[in-house]
Amino acid sequence: MADDPGRTKILLDESRIPRRWYNVLADLPAPPPPPLHPGTREPVGPDDLAPLFPMDFIEQEVSAERYLEIPEEVREVYRLWQPTPLIRARRLERALGTPARIYFKYEGVSPVGSHKPNTAVPQAFYNARQGVRRLTTETGAGQWGSALAFACSVYGLECEVWMVRASYDQKPYRRLMMRTYGARVHASPSPVTTAGAKILADDPDSPGSLGIAISEAVEVAGGADDTRYALGSVLNHVLTHQTVIGEEALEQLASVGETPDLIVGCTGGGSNFAGLSFPFLREKLAGRMSPVIRAVEPAACPSFTRGRYAYDFGDAAGFTPLLKMHTLGHDFVPDPIHAGGLRYHGMAPLLSHMYELGLFEAVAKPQRECFEAGVLFARTEGIVPAPEPTHALAGAIEEARRCAETGEPKVILTALCGHGHFDMAAYDRYLSGEMEDFDLPQERIERSLGRLP
Ligand SMILES: *Cc1c(COP(=O)(O)O)cnc(C)c1O
Protein backbone atom coordinates (compact mmCIF):
# COMPACT_ATOMS: atom_id res chain seq x y z
CA MET A 1 0.00 0.00 0.00
CA ALA A 2 1.25 3.45 -0.86
CA ASP A 3 1.06 4.65 2.73
CA ASP A 4 2.91 1.63 4.13
CA PRO A 5 6.62 2.41 4.23
CA GLY A 6 7.72 -1.13 5.23
CA ARG A 7 9.92 -3.37 3.15
CA THR A 8 8.61 -6.10 0.83
CA LYS A 9 11.82 -7.93 -0.07
CA ILE A 10 14.34 -8.31 2.72
CA LEU A 11 17.72 -9.26 1.33
CA LEU A 12 21.02 -9.93 3.07
CA ASP A 13 24.48 -9.34 1.73
CA GLU A 14 26.47 -12.41 0.60
CA SER A 15 28.83 -11.86 3.51
CA ARG A 16 25.91 -12.69 5.85
CA ILE A 17 25.69 -16.34 4.76
CA PRO A 18 25.84 -18.16 8.11
CA ARG A 19 29.28 -19.42 9.18
CA ARG A 20 27.84 -22.02 11.53
CA TRP A 21 25.01 -24.50 11.58
CA TYR A 22 22.91 -24.52 14.75
CA ASN A 23 22.62 -27.85 16.56
CA VAL A 24 19.40 -27.80 18.61
CA LEU A 25 20.51 -30.91 20.55
CA ALA A 26 22.67 -28.60 22.67
CA ASP A 27 19.57 -26.82 23.97
CA LEU A 28 17.26 -29.77 24.68
CA PRO A 29 16.75 -31.08 28.24
CA ALA A 30 17.52 -34.61 27.01
CA PRO A 31 18.71 -36.08 23.71
CA PRO A 32 16.30 -38.19 21.65
CA PRO A 33 16.35 -41.95 22.19
CA PRO A 34 19.24 -43.47 20.17
CA PRO A 35 18.85 -45.43 16.94
CA LEU A 36 18.99 -49.19 17.59
CA HIS A 37 20.76 -51.88 15.62
CA PRO A 38 18.08 -53.87 13.77
CA GLY A 39 19.68 -57.19 14.81
CA THR A 40 20.91 -56.69 18.38
CA ARG A 41 18.47 -53.91 19.37
CA GLU A 42 21.43 -52.19 21.05
CA PRO A 43 22.16 -48.51 20.33
CA VAL A 44 24.10 -48.27 17.08
CA GLY A 45 27.72 -47.24 17.31
CA PRO A 46 29.86 -45.34 14.80
CA ASP A 47 31.13 -48.65 13.38
CA ASP A 48 27.61 -49.72 12.44
CA LEU A 49 27.07 -46.52 10.48
CA ALA A 50 30.51 -46.25 8.87
CA PRO A 51 29.59 -48.39 5.81
CA LEU A 52 26.83 -45.89 5.00
CA PHE A 53 27.99 -42.43 6.07
CA PRO A 54 31.25 -40.48 6.33
CA MET A 55 32.60 -39.97 9.86
CA ASP A 56 31.87 -36.23 9.80
CA PHE A 57 28.13 -36.96 9.79
CA ILE A 58 28.31 -39.72 12.32
CA GLU A 59 29.95 -37.14 14.61
CA GLN A 60 27.48 -34.41 13.67
CA GLU A 61 24.62 -36.82 14.33
CA VAL A 62 25.40 -37.03 18.06
CA SER A 63 27.32 -33.81 18.60
CA ALA A 64 26.48 -31.80 21.71
CA GLU A 65 28.17 -28.67 20.34
CA ARG A 66 25.71 -25.82 19.91
CA TYR A 67 27.34 -24.64 16.68
CA LEU A 68 29.10 -26.53 13.91
CA GLU A 69 31.49 -24.70 11.61
CA ILE A 70 30.41 -24.61 7.94
CA PRO A 71 33.48 -25.42 5.79
CA GLU A 72 34.54 -22.54 3.54
CA GLU A 73 34.36 -24.90 0.53
CA VAL A 74 30.65 -25.36 1.32
CA ARG A 75 29.95 -21.66 1.92
CA GLU A 76 31.52 -20.94 -1.44
CA VAL A 77 28.89 -23.13 -3.15
CA TYR A 78 26.12 -21.79 -0.88
CA ARG A 79 26.89 -18.38 -2.40
CA LEU A 80 25.26 -19.49 -5.64
CA TRP A 81 21.85 -18.90 -4.01
CA GLN A 82 22.27 -17.80 -0.40
CA PRO A 83 21.26 -15.73 1.40
CA THR A 84 17.75 -16.39 0.13
CA PRO A 85 15.15 -13.59 0.22
CA LEU A 86 12.59 -13.11 2.95
CA ILE A 87 9.50 -11.64 1.34
CA ARG A 88 6.48 -9.97 2.89
CA ALA A 89 3.36 -11.33 1.18
CA ARG A 90 1.55 -7.99 1.06
CA ARG A 91 -0.68 -8.84 -1.87
CA LEU A 92 -1.74 -12.11 -0.25
CA GLU A 93 -2.46 -10.21 2.99
CA ARG A 94 -4.64 -7.78 1.06
CA ALA A 95 -6.51 -10.57 -0.73
CA LEU A 96 -7.26 -12.13 2.65
CA GLY A 97 -8.24 -8.81 4.20
CA THR A 98 -6.08 -9.70 7.18
CA PRO A 99 -4.26 -7.46 9.60
CA ALA A 100 -1.64 -10.23 9.92
CA ARG A 101 1.78 -9.66 8.38
CA ILE A 102 2.87 -12.72 6.43
CA TYR A 103 6.53 -13.31 5.64
CA PHE A 104 7.86 -16.18 3.58
CA LYS A 105 11.44 -17.35 3.31
CA TYR A 106 11.89 -18.34 -0.32
CA GLU A 107 14.18 -21.33 -0.94
CA GLY A 108 13.06 -21.75 -4.56
CA VAL A 109 15.93 -19.51 -5.72
CA SER A 110 18.45 -22.35 -5.29
CA PRO A 111 19.72 -23.95 -8.51
CA VAL A 112 17.36 -26.91 -8.14
CA GLY A 113 14.42 -24.90 -6.82
CA SER A 114 14.22 -26.04 -3.19
CA HIS A 115 15.99 -26.00 0.19
CA LYS A 116 17.55 -29.44 -0.43
CA PRO A 117 20.99 -28.26 -1.66
CA ASN A 118 21.58 -26.74 1.81
CA THR A 119 22.36 -30.29 2.93
CA ALA A 120 23.22 -31.95 -0.41
CA VAL A 121 26.25 -29.71 -0.83
CA PRO A 122 27.88 -30.46 2.55
CA GLN A 123 27.02 -34.14 2.17
CA ALA A 124 28.74 -34.36 -1.21
CA PHE A 125 31.64 -32.26 0.08
CA TYR A 126 32.40 -34.45 3.13
CA ASN A 127 32.03 -37.65 1.11
CA ALA A 128 34.33 -36.41 -1.64
CA ARG A 129 36.91 -35.31 0.95
CA GLN A 130 36.84 -38.80 2.42
CA GLY A 131 37.57 -40.39 -0.98
CA VAL A 132 34.10 -41.74 -1.69
CA ARG A 133 33.47 -42.18 -5.42
CA ARG A 134 29.70 -42.62 -5.65
CA LEU A 135 26.60 -41.62 -3.67
CA THR A 136 23.27 -43.42 -3.79
CA THR A 137 19.96 -42.03 -2.64
CA GLU A 138 16.20 -42.14 -2.97
CA THR A 139 13.94 -39.34 -4.08
CA GLY A 140 10.20 -38.85 -3.76
CA ALA A 141 9.17 -35.76 -5.66
CA GLY A 142 12.59 -35.54 -7.30
CA GLN A 143 13.77 -32.47 -5.42
CA TRP A 144 16.25 -34.29 -3.22
CA GLY A 145 17.54 -36.34 -6.15
CA SER A 146 18.06 -33.14 -8.17
CA ALA A 147 19.85 -31.50 -5.25
CA LEU A 148 22.20 -34.42 -4.69
CA ALA A 149 22.82 -34.82 -8.42
CA PHE A 150 23.77 -31.13 -8.55
CA ALA A 151 26.01 -31.39 -5.47
CA CYS A 152 27.73 -34.52 -6.82
CA SER A 153 28.43 -32.71 -10.08
CA VAL A 154 30.07 -29.89 -8.10
CA TYR A 155 32.51 -32.26 -6.35
CA GLY A 156 32.99 -34.84 -9.12
CA LEU A 157 31.07 -37.72 -7.53
CA GLU A 158 28.88 -40.26 -9.31
CA CYS A 159 25.24 -40.18 -8.25
CA GLU A 160 22.67 -42.98 -8.49
CA VAL A 161 19.07 -42.22 -7.58
CA TRP A 162 16.04 -44.43 -6.89
CA MET A 163 12.98 -42.34 -7.68
CA VAL A 164 9.57 -43.39 -6.35
CA ARG A 165 7.68 -44.86 -9.31
CA ALA A 166 4.62 -42.59 -8.90
CA SER A 167 6.83 -39.51 -9.23
CA TYR A 168 9.02 -41.03 -11.92
CA ASP A 169 5.93 -41.28 -14.09
CA GLN A 170 4.33 -37.98 -13.01
CA LYS A 171 7.47 -35.87 -13.17
CA PRO A 172 9.66 -36.74 -16.16
CA TYR A 173 11.35 -33.33 -16.08
CA ARG A 174 12.73 -33.84 -12.57
CA ARG A 175 14.19 -37.12 -13.81
CA LEU A 176 15.75 -35.35 -16.78
CA MET A 177 17.13 -32.62 -14.57
CA MET A 178 18.98 -35.26 -12.51
CA ARG A 179 20.34 -36.79 -15.71
CA THR A 180 21.41 -33.36 -16.89
CA TYR A 181 23.53 -33.09 -13.74
CA GLY A 182 24.96 -36.51 -14.63
CA ALA A 183 23.04 -38.84 -12.29
CA ARG A 184 21.68 -42.31 -13.07
CA VAL A 185 17.99 -42.58 -12.23
CA HIS A 186 15.97 -45.77 -11.55
CA ALA A 187 12.23 -46.04 -11.05
CA SER A 188 11.64 -47.59 -7.61
CA PRO A 189 10.82 -50.39 -7.02
CA SER A 190 13.51 -51.40 -9.52
CA PRO A 191 14.64 -54.85 -10.63
CA VAL A 192 18.32 -53.99 -9.97
CA THR A 193 18.15 -54.52 -6.18
CA THR A 194 17.00 -57.48 -4.13
CA ALA A 195 14.60 -55.25 -2.16
CA GLY A 196 13.06 -53.80 -5.32
CA ALA A 197 12.81 -57.12 -7.14
CA LYS A 198 11.02 -58.67 -4.17
CA ILE A 199 8.37 -55.95 -4.11
CA LEU A 200 7.92 -56.11 -7.90
CA ALA A 201 7.38 -59.86 -7.65
CA ASP A 202 4.47 -59.29 -5.24
CA ASP A 203 3.10 -56.20 -6.97
CA PRO A 204 4.42 -55.39 -10.47
CA ASP A 205 2.39 -52.15 -10.45
CA SER A 206 3.61 -50.87 -7.08
CA PRO A 207 3.59 -47.03 -7.09
CA GLY A 208 6.58 -47.24 -4.78
CA SER A 209 7.21 -45.30 -1.61
CA LEU A 210 10.09 -43.45 -0.06
CA GLY A 211 10.56 -46.38 2.32
CA ILE A 212 11.05 -48.77 -0.62
CA ALA A 213 13.38 -46.42 -2.47
CA ILE A 214 15.52 -46.01 0.67
CA SER A 215 15.86 -49.80 0.94
CA GLU A 216 17.19 -49.92 -2.61
CA ALA A 217 19.69 -47.07 -2.21
CA VAL A 218 20.91 -48.43 1.14
CA GLU A 219 21.31 -51.92 -0.30
CA VAL A 220 23.56 -50.68 -3.10
CA ALA A 221 25.63 -48.40 -0.82
CA GLY A 222 26.09 -51.19 1.72
CA GLY A 223 27.36 -53.52 -0.99
CA ALA A 224 30.20 -51.37 -2.36
CA ASP A 225 33.29 -49.97 -0.59
CA ASP A 226 33.56 -46.79 -2.64
CA THR A 227 29.87 -45.95 -2.30
CA ARG A 228 27.98 -44.19 0.47
CA TYR A 229 24.35 -43.37 1.01
CA ALA A 230 22.97 -39.85 1.34
CA LEU A 231 19.67 -38.99 2.99
CA GLY A 232 17.84 -35.75 2.24
CA SER A 233 15.85 -35.45 5.46
CA VAL A 234 15.06 -37.19 8.79
CA LEU A 235 18.59 -37.46 10.29
CA ASN A 236 19.92 -34.98 12.84
CA HIS A 237 22.79 -33.76 10.67
CA VAL A 238 20.41 -33.02 7.77
CA LEU A 239 18.14 -30.95 10.00
CA THR A 240 21.20 -29.14 11.34
CA HIS A 241 22.45 -28.26 7.83
CA GLN A 242 19.07 -26.67 7.07
CA THR A 243 19.32 -24.21 9.97
CA VAL A 244 20.91 -21.72 7.58
CA ILE A 245 17.27 -20.99 6.58
CA GLY A 246 16.21 -19.96 10.08
CA GLU A 247 19.45 -18.12 10.93
CA GLU A 248 19.02 -15.93 7.88
CA ALA A 249 15.30 -15.40 8.50
CA LEU A 250 16.02 -14.40 12.10
CA GLU A 251 18.43 -11.72 10.94
CA GLN A 252 16.12 -10.58 8.14
CA LEU A 253 13.10 -10.20 10.43
CA ALA A 254 15.19 -8.42 13.04
CA SER A 255 16.36 -5.98 10.36
CA VAL A 256 12.75 -4.79 9.93
CA GLY A 257 12.02 -4.88 13.65
CA GLU A 258 9.69 -7.90 13.55
CA THR A 259 9.41 -11.00 15.74
CA PRO A 260 7.16 -13.87 14.66
CA ASP A 261 4.00 -14.85 16.52
CA LEU A 262 3.57 -18.00 14.44
CA ILE A 263 6.07 -20.07 12.48
CA VAL A 264 4.42 -22.59 10.20
CA GLY A 265 6.07 -25.11 7.89
CA CYS A 266 5.34 -28.32 6.02
CA THR A 267 6.78 -31.62 7.22
CA GLY A 268 7.76 -34.63 5.13
CA GLY A 269 10.80 -35.87 6.99
CA GLY A 270 10.98 -32.52 8.75
CA SER A 271 14.12 -30.84 7.40
CA ASN A 272 12.78 -27.54 6.03
CA PHE A 273 10.51 -27.11 9.05
CA ALA A 274 13.42 -27.79 11.40
CA GLY A 275 15.71 -25.56 9.39
CA LEU A 276 13.36 -22.61 9.62
CA SER A 277 12.17 -23.11 13.19
CA PHE A 278 15.20 -24.30 15.22
CA PRO A 279 17.02 -20.97 15.40
CA PHE A 280 13.76 -19.30 16.49
CA LEU A 281 13.20 -22.07 19.01
CA ARG A 282 16.66 -21.34 20.43
CA GLU A 283 15.55 -17.73 20.92
CA LYS A 284 12.26 -18.88 22.42
CA LEU A 285 13.98 -21.23 24.89
CA ALA A 286 16.26 -18.33 25.87
CA GLY A 287 13.16 -16.21 26.58
CA ARG A 288 13.79 -13.69 23.79
CA MET A 289 10.59 -14.37 21.81
CA SER A 290 7.59 -16.65 22.09
CA PRO A 291 6.33 -17.77 18.68
CA VAL A 292 3.91 -20.65 18.34
CA ILE A 293 5.57 -23.21 16.04
CA ARG A 294 3.29 -25.39 13.92
CA ALA A 295 4.00 -28.26 11.53
CA VAL A 296 1.57 -29.01 8.70
CA GLU A 297 1.52 -32.53 7.31
CA PRO A 298 -0.68 -34.12 4.62
CA ALA A 299 -3.88 -35.78 5.81
CA ALA A 300 -2.92 -38.75 3.58
CA CYS A 301 0.34 -39.31 5.48
CA PRO A 302 -0.22 -37.96 8.99
CA SER A 303 2.71 -39.26 11.02
CA PHE A 304 2.60 -36.64 13.83
CA THR A 305 -1.16 -36.43 14.18
CA ARG A 306 -2.16 -40.08 13.69
CA GLY A 307 1.07 -42.07 13.86
CA ARG A 308 2.57 -43.82 16.88
CA TYR A 309 5.75 -42.71 18.68
CA ALA A 310 7.66 -45.98 18.48
CA TYR A 311 10.80 -47.64 17.21
CA ASP A 312 10.46 -48.45 13.52
CA PHE A 313 12.58 -48.95 10.46
CA GLY A 314 13.42 -45.97 8.29
CA ASP A 315 12.83 -48.03 5.16
CA ALA A 316 10.30 -50.56 3.92
CA ALA A 317 12.60 -53.60 3.84
CA GLY A 318 14.03 -53.18 7.34
CA PHE A 319 17.69 -52.52 6.44
CA THR A 320 18.11 -49.32 8.43
CA PRO A 321 18.63 -48.91 12.16
CA LEU A 322 15.45 -48.69 14.21
CA LEU A 323 14.49 -45.08 14.76
CA LYS A 324 12.22 -43.84 17.54
CA MET A 325 9.81 -41.61 15.67
CA HIS A 326 6.21 -40.84 14.88
CA THR A 327 5.47 -43.49 12.32
CA LEU A 328 2.61 -44.94 10.32
CA GLY A 329 4.54 -48.21 9.97
CA HIS A 330 7.52 -48.86 7.71
CA ASP A 331 5.47 -50.62 5.03
CA PHE A 332 2.69 -48.00 5.00
CA VAL A 333 2.23 -46.85 1.40
CA PRO A 334 0.44 -43.49 1.36
CA ASP A 335 -2.09 -42.65 -1.31
CA PRO A 336 -0.43 -41.03 -4.33
CA ILE A 337 -0.93 -37.40 -3.30
CA HIS A 338 0.90 -34.82 -5.35
CA ALA A 339 3.14 -33.63 -2.54
CA GLY A 340 5.56 -36.52 -3.16
CA GLY A 341 8.06 -35.06 -0.71
CA LEU A 342 5.57 -35.47 2.14
CA ARG A 343 4.86 -39.17 1.51
CA TYR A 344 7.23 -40.59 4.11
CA HIS A 345 5.90 -43.03 6.72
CA GLY A 346 7.96 -41.60 9.56
CA MET A 347 9.27 -38.32 10.89
CA ALA A 348 12.69 -37.08 11.93
CA PRO A 349 13.46 -38.72 15.32
CA LEU A 350 14.74 -35.38 16.60
CA LEU A 351 11.47 -33.63 15.72
CA SER A 352 9.44 -36.54 17.07
CA HIS A 353 11.26 -36.22 20.39
CA MET A 354 10.71 -32.45 20.42
CA TYR A 355 7.03 -32.92 19.60
CA GLU A 356 6.74 -35.21 22.63
CA LEU A 357 8.40 -32.46 24.69
CA GLY A 358 5.65 -30.10 23.53
CA LEU A 359 8.02 -27.72 21.75
CA PHE A 360 5.72 -27.35 18.73
CA GLU A 361 2.29 -28.41 17.49
CA ALA A 362 1.11 -30.23 14.36
CA VAL A 363 -1.96 -30.26 12.11
CA ALA A 364 -2.87 -32.31 9.01
CA LYS A 365 -4.45 -30.92 5.85
CA PRO A 366 -6.06 -32.53 2.78
CA GLN A 367 -4.45 -31.74 -0.54
CA ARG A 368 -7.26 -29.76 -2.16
CA GLU A 369 -7.22 -27.14 0.61
CA CYS A 370 -3.45 -26.93 0.09
CA PHE A 371 -3.68 -26.47 -3.67
CA GLU A 372 -6.37 -23.84 -3.17
CA ALA A 373 -3.85 -21.99 -1.00
CA GLY A 374 -1.13 -22.55 -3.61
CA VAL A 375 -3.26 -21.09 -6.40
CA LEU A 376 -4.24 -18.06 -4.31
CA PHE A 377 -0.56 -17.56 -3.51
CA ALA A 378 0.42 -17.80 -7.19
CA ARG A 379 -2.25 -15.29 -8.17
CA THR A 380 -1.21 -12.78 -5.52
CA GLU A 381 2.54 -13.25 -4.99
CA GLY A 382 3.36 -14.61 -8.45
CA ILE A 383 5.32 -17.68 -7.36
CA VAL A 384 3.84 -21.10 -8.13
CA PRO A 385 4.68 -23.12 -5.00
CA ALA A 386 5.73 -26.76 -4.98
CA PRO A 387 2.89 -29.00 -3.71
CA GLU A 388 4.73 -29.58 -0.40
CA PRO A 389 4.88 -25.96 0.80
CA THR A 390 1.25 -25.42 -0.23
CA HIS A 391 0.65 -27.22 3.08
CA ALA A 392 2.60 -24.54 4.91
CA LEU A 393 0.76 -21.84 2.98
CA ALA A 394 -2.60 -23.39 3.85
CA GLY A 395 -1.53 -23.25 7.50
CA ALA A 396 -0.43 -19.63 7.19
CA ILE A 397 -3.61 -18.62 5.36
CA GLU A 398 -5.81 -20.34 7.93
CA GLU A 399 -4.15 -18.31 10.69
CA ALA A 400 -4.29 -15.08 8.67
CA ARG A 401 -8.03 -15.59 8.16
CA ARG A 402 -8.45 -16.08 11.91
CA CYS A 403 -6.62 -12.79 12.38
CA ALA A 404 -9.05 -11.16 9.95
CA GLU A 405 -11.86 -12.22 12.31
CA THR A 406 -10.18 -11.30 15.59
CA GLY A 407 -8.35 -8.22 14.33
CA GLU A 408 -5.02 -9.49 15.70
CA PRO A 409 -2.05 -8.18 13.70
CA LYS A 410 0.03 -11.35 14.09
CA VAL A 411 3.36 -11.81 12.39
CA ILE A 412 3.33 -15.10 10.51
CA LEU A 413 6.53 -16.62 9.16
CA THR A 414 6.56 -19.54 6.75
CA ALA A 415 9.02 -21.38 4.54
CA LEU A 416 8.25 -21.43 0.86
CA CYS A 417 10.72 -24.26 0.53
CA GLY A 418 10.41 -24.80 -3.21
CA HIS A 419 8.79 -23.67 -6.44
CA GLY A 420 6.42 -25.87 -8.41
CA HIS A 421 7.72 -25.44 -11.93
CA PHE A 422 8.06 -29.20 -12.33
CA ASP A 423 4.71 -29.86 -10.73
CA MET A 424 2.37 -28.45 -13.32
CA ALA A 425 0.74 -31.85 -13.85
CA ALA A 426 -0.45 -31.62 -10.25
CA TYR A 427 -1.84 -28.14 -10.86
CA ASP A 428 -3.52 -29.51 -13.98
CA ARG A 429 -5.32 -32.09 -11.82
CA TYR A 430 -6.38 -29.42 -9.37
CA LEU A 431 -7.47 -26.85 -11.94
CA SER A 432 -9.43 -29.38 -13.96
CA GLY A 433 -11.29 -30.46 -10.81
CA GLU A 434 -9.87 -33.98 -10.88
CA MET A 435 -7.85 -33.84 -7.70
CA GLU A 436 -9.13 -36.07 -4.92
CA ASP A 437 -8.86 -35.90 -1.17
CA PHE A 438 -8.17 -39.38 0.16
CA ASP A 439 -9.85 -40.69 3.24
CA LEU A 440 -7.37 -42.53 5.41
CA PRO A 441 -9.30 -45.12 7.39
CA GLN A 442 -8.04 -45.86 10.91
CA GLU A 443 -7.90 -49.61 10.05
CA ARG A 444 -5.24 -48.95 7.43
CA ILE A 445 -3.03 -47.21 9.95
CA GLU A 446 -3.69 -49.92 12.56
CA ARG A 447 -2.82 -52.62 10.05
CA SER A 448 0.61 -51.23 9.23
CA LEU A 449 1.27 -50.31 12.86
CA GLY A 450 0.52 -53.94 13.67
CA ARG A 451 3.70 -54.82 11.77
CA LEU A 452 6.03 -52.56 13.78
CA PRO A 453 9.22 -54.41 14.71
C1 LIG B 1 11.86 -32.62 0.18
C2 LIG B 1 10.94 -31.52 0.25
C3 LIG B 1 10.01 -31.43 1.30
C4 LIG B 1 9.86 -32.47 2.37
O1 LIG B 1 11.00 -32.71 3.11
P1 LIG B 1 11.30 -32.05 4.50
O2 LIG B 1 12.51 -32.77 4.99
O3 LIG B 1 10.12 -32.26 5.40
O4 LIG B 1 11.57 -30.62 4.27
C5 LIG B 1 9.17 -30.35 1.32
N1 LIG B 1 9.23 -29.40 0.38
C6 LIG B 1 10.11 -29.43 -0.63
C7 LIG B 1 10.11 -28.33 -1.64
C8 LIG B 1 11.00 -30.50 -0.72
O5 LIG B 1 11.89 -30.52 -1.70
Side-chain angles (χ1 to χ4, degrees):
M1 272 169 253
D3 59 348
D4 185 341
R7 307 255 302 275
T8 294
K9 225 156 82 200
I10 304 154
L11 303 173
L12 291 178
D13 186 77
E14 234 174 75
S15 64
R16 305 304 303 164
I17 293 172
R19 293 180 185 279
R20 307 178 303 182
W21 292 300
Y22 167 56
N23 176 20
V24 76
L25 278 173
D27 288 323
L28 297 183
L36 302 182
H37 189 282
T40 63
R41 307 275 155 125
E42 294 294 322
V44 294
D47 293 347
D48 299 311
L49 296 174
L52 284 181
F53 299 110
M55 214 29 98
D56 303 88
F57 295 145
I58 298 171
E59 284 162 12
Q60 287 181 9
E61 212 35 38
V62 293
S63 171
E65 298 288 330
R66 180 168 286 112
Y67 294 103
L68 304 173
E69 212 63 37
I70 304 178
E72 262 319 303
E73 296 91 328
V74 169
R75 284 186 82 238
E76 183 194 316
V77 183
Y78 275 177
R79 291 167 103 103
L80 292 175
W81 67 96
Q82 285 178 10
T84 61
L86 180 75
I87 300 172
R88 169 123 177 240
R90 291 172 183 278
R91 295 172 52 81
L92 174 64
E93 291 167 15
R94 240 175 286 160
L96 296 169
T98 181
R101 300 193 290 284
I102 305 172
Y103 291 89
F104 64 94
K105 179 75 169 152
Y106 185 42
E107 295 297 305
V109 295
S110 85
V112 304
S114 77
H115 65 292
K116 294 293 202 313
N118 293 339
T119 184
V121 169
Q123 293 199 42
F125 167 74
Y126 287 115
N127 274 291
R129 196 174 65 174
Q130 197 175 289
V132 169
R133 201 180 55 78
R134 176 176 64 157
L135 289 179
T136 66
T137 199
E138 75 293 332
T139 194
Q143 280 135 333
W144 168 241
S146 310
L148 193 70
F150 157 67
C152 284
S153 76
V154 168
Y155 297 109
L157 295 169
E158 283 178 32
C159 184
E160 201 162 342
V161 182
W162 277 263
M163 184 174 190
V164 175
R165 169 108 246 165
S167 300
Y168 188 92
D169 295 337
Q170 278 170 2
K171 303 178 74 175
Y173 296 123
R174 273 284 166 202
R175 191 205 313 155
L176 288 165
M177 189 180 196
M178 290 183 252
R179 290 189 50 205
T180 302
Y181 289 127
R184 270 183 76 189
V185 187
H186 308 272
S188 168
S190 79
V192 304
T193 65
T194 315
K198 184 160 169 283
I199 286 162
L200 285 177
D202 291 342
D203 178 9
D205 297 323
S206 166
S209 70
L210 274 173
I212 295 169
I214 294 174
S215 298
E216 298 200 83
V218 167
E219 181 183 321
V220 171
D225 272 350
D226 61 355
T227 303
R228 293 288 182 281
Y229 167 67
L231 189 59
S233 187
V234 175
L235 299 180
N236 299 355
H237 67 265
V238 179
L239 274 48
T240 299
H241 296 160
Q242 292 294 352
T243 57
V244 290
I245 302 173
E247 294 290 13
E248 287 178 7
L250 197 57
E251 184 171 339
Q252 286 163 311
L253 275 183
S255 78
V256 290
E258 297 273 46
T259 46
D261 297 299
L262 173 71
I263 298 172
V264 59
C266 68
T267 44
S271 72
N272 88 84
F273 173 75
L276 178 69
S277 63
F278 283 0
F280 288 91
L281 184 69
R282 173 189 65 215
E283 300 304 303
K284 183 174 178 176
L285 293 172
R288 289 188 282 266
M289 54 176 70
S290 51
V292 170
I293 302 174
R294 187 175 298 148
V296 185
E297 59 185 12
C301 195
S303 37
F304 275 133
T305 53
R306 293 176 71 188
R308 187 178 301 162
Y309 186 46
Y311 271 105
D312 195 7
F313 294 109
D315 68 324
F319 291 151
T320 70
L322 291 166
L323 304 172
K324 182 105 187 251
M325 60 183 175
H326 290 88
T327 179
L328 296 161
H330 58 278
D331 60 2
F332 178 82
V333 177
D335 288 313
I337 54 165
H338 290 276
L342 306 185
R343 291 177 74 242
Y344 183 59
H345 68 272
M347 186 49 63
L350 178 53
L351 280 177
S352 289
H353 173 63
M354 292 168 66
Y355 186 61
E356 290 296 304
L357 292 174
L359 294 174
F360 62 91
E361 44 189 69
V363 296
K365 292 204 171 291
Q367 64 177 348
R368 277 193 302 200
E369 177 185 343
C370 299
F371 274 83
E372 185 191 338
V375 168
L376 175 62
F377 188 83
R379 290 177 186 176
T380 49
E381 296 299 322
I383 300 170
V384 178
E388 294 83 5
T390 63
H391 291 71
L393 291 171
I397 287 172
E398 180 178 51
E399 187 77 21
R401 287 200 167 116
R402 264 201 290 269
C403 292
E405 281 165 24
T406 62
E408 284 172 287
K410 286 191 183 173
V411 175
I412 300 172
L413 170 65
T414 190
L416 185 59
C417 53
H419 67 62
H421 299 178
F422 293 95
D423 302 280
M424 298 323 297
Y427 279 88
D428 180 25
R429 300 283 294 182
Y430 175 75
L431 295 168
S432 61
E434 285 166 26
M435 184 173 283
E436 294 173 74
D437 282 339
F438 297 97
D439 222 22
L440 176 57
Q442 194 57 30
E443 307 88 78
R444 229 176 98 199
I445 300 178
E446 297 297 334
R447 219 179 312 134
S448 60
L449 286 179
R451 292 187 292 268
L452 286 183

